[in-house]
């Protein structure tokens, strides 16, 4: 089971950018599908982006064209580049790993988009 630590969140103005990082421990990071989720106050946790072990990506319609998920297997790290940020992106962002299902959730990192 991999252990994950998210970082890179903070306060950003509308239209700005942030890059989130998710550092993983473990020896088999490269075989996992990795995902970024977010949860806004009063709302359900939702899937934002996925990247498979082969590098295929998938995005929620709400972020498509503005967010980019990537991975560096040599560094056991997955990233979420967030551009053209909107206030609706304000949420706690979580990463997770899946082989046959998602693992436990960590603390996440807070992203606040506000002027």
């Amino acid at each position: 089971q991999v252990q994950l630590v998210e970082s890179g969140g903070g306060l950003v103005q509308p239209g700005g950018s942030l890059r989130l990082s998710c550092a993983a421990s473990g020896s088999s990071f490269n075989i996992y599908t990795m995902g970024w989720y977010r949860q806004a106050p009063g709302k359900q946790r939702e899937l934002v982006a996925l990247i498979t072990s082969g590098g295929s990506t998938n995005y929620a319609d709400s972020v498509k064209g503005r967010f980019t998920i990537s991975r560096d297997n040599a560094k056991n790290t997955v990233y979420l580049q967030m551009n053209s940020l909107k206030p609706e992106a304000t949420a706690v962002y979580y990463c997770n790993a899946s082989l046959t299902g998602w693992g436990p959730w960590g603390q996440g990192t807070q992203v606040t988009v506000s002027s």
Side-chain angles (χ1 to χ4, degrees), residues 31-112:
I31 72 172
Y32 288 95
T33 291
M34 301 297 299
W36 284 98
Y37 284 74
R38 67 186 179 190
Q39 187 168 26
K43 296 185 178 181
Q44 297 286 104
R45 183 185 287 114
E46 64 173 341
L47 180 65
V48 177
L50 289 172
I51 185 165
T52 70
S53 60
S56 297
T57 59
N58 197 20
Y59 299 92
D61 288 342
S62 59
V63 308
K64 197 170 298 181
R66 299 183 297 111
F67 288 16
T68 303
I69 188 171
S70 61
R71 67 194 298 161
D72 186 339
N73 290 339
K75 296 181 178 179
N76 279 12
T77 302
V78 62
Y79 305 96
L80 185 68
Q81 179 67 46
M82 305 186 294
N83 298 326
S84 301
L85 281 164
K86 302 176 180 179
E88 303 91 270
T90 296
V92 178
Y93 284 71
Y94 304 87
C95 65
N96 214 324
S98 177
L99 187 57
T100 61
W102 299 113
W105 301 100
Q107 289 188 326
T109 185
Q110 175 71 51
V111 172
T112 302

